[in-house]
Amino acid sequence: ILTNGSQLHKIIDDIQRVTWLSFDVSLDAATPESYLALRKSDNWLQILENLKTVQTLRQTKSFKFGIGMTLNRVNHGEIYKFFILGQSLNAIPSYTLVVNPDKGADFDQKYLDFTAEEIASVVAQINRIETEFPEQFKVTTLQTIRRIMFGYRKHRLQAYLHEKTKLLHKLGQFLPKRLKYAAKKLLVGS
């Protein structure tokens, strides 16, 4: 079963009769605030109750139980909290990056254009989880997310330098040599 977890309380009796089960709940948040911002729904407490019911059900049935977070700029500071939530529910946390090529630049800016500080925060949280929970870390997708973030940081730096180079070129058409050198030093820092 792959679900957002909001209606589980309505079908729990049916779930109890199933002889095999794999449960994955897409939460995308570790706090009610980010859940509301991302899902436009305020049923966070109901979902937590539903997840606790699934956790209790696992005591009598054996099945895989996972929770998922699609990482973005809204929830990037909750990676560690999300991992701890998974631990408290005895659920395996998984992480992915949001991708939606049809949404355009506004969507990318709102959800995907991580700042250097946000990238550093993501990597620091991943490193903390790896240090504090090395065995559990191995079954998450955080190693991949960390690699992507390092690549993302490199890509963002290259894009920044490319923009600065284009600006220098434009300025170079109008500035005398002495000012070109000063502008380059100011913009690029070299």
Side-chain angles (χ1 to χ4, degrees):
I1 293 175
L2 175 59
T3 176
N4 65 12
S6 63
Q7 303 297 310
L8 287 176
H9 59 285
K10 294 180 180 178
I11 61 167
I12 199 66
D13 291 335
D14 296 328
I15 293 170
Q16 289 176 341
R17 287 192 288 272
V18 173
T19 57
W20 60 270
L21 191 60
S22 175
F23 238 99
D24 288 293
V25 180
S26 175
L27 290 178
D28 297 335
T31 66
E33 296 80 18
S34 62
Y35 186 82
L36 179 61
L38 292 166
R39 296 291 181 101
K40 311 297 185 232
S41 173
D42 64 352
N43 58 352
W44 177 254
L45 294 177
Q46 179 63 62
I47 291 170
L48 288 182
E49 285 304 313
N50 291 344
L51 294 177
K52 289 175 186 171
T53 301
V54 172
Q55 177 191 20
T56 301
L57 185 59
R58 278 193 79 202
Q59 294 172 1
T60 58
K61 290 183 173 272
S62 177
F63 58 88
K64 177 189 167 287
F65 179 30
I67 58 174
M69 171 187 265
T70 301
L71 183 63
N72 58 63
R73 291 189 69 205
V74 175
N75 64 13
H76 77 277
E78 299 179 359
I79 294 170
Y80 185 82
K81 286 180 186 176
F82 189 80
F83 184 87
I84 296 302
L85 176 63
Q87 293 293 296
S88 73
L89 294 167
N90 198 22
I92 300 168
S94 66
Y95 303 82
T96 57
L97 279 170
V98 64
V99 176
N100 199 332
D102 299 329
K103 293 286 186 174
D106 289 342
F107 179 88
D108 286 355
Q109 178 142 19
K110 183 175 182 180
Y111 295 106
L112 294 175
D113 287 345
F114 294 94
T115 66
E117 293 80 19
E118 291 167 342
I119 293 169
S121 170
V122 167
V123 171
Q125 290 174 81
I126 292 171
N127 291 343
R128 181 178 179 191
I129 293 167
E130 183 179 29
T131 300
E132 293 179 18
F133 305 95
E135 289 306 309
Q136 296 90 334
F137 177 81
K138 292 175 185 176
V139 298
T140 70
T141 53
L142 288 171
Q143 294 170 342
T144 302
I145 297 295
R146 183 171 46 200
R147 269 195 312 275
I148 291 169
M149 282 292 144
F150 281 130
Y152 187 80
R153 185 184 321 180
K154 181 180 175 184
H155 171 74
R156 297 285 292 163
L157 180 59
Q158 288 171 340
Y160 172 80
L161 290 175
H162 179 71
E163 287 300 313
K164 294 300 180 187
T165 302
K166 282 179 18 184
L167 180 61
L168 279 174
H169 181 69
K170 284 181 183 178
L171 284 174
Q173 296 172 357
F174 303 104
L175 296 174
K177 266 188 171 176
R178 293 179 101 182
L179 286 175
K180 286 181 191 176
Y181 175 77
K184 181 180 179 184
K185 203 168 170 105
L186 224 148
L187 290 173
V188 180
S190 58

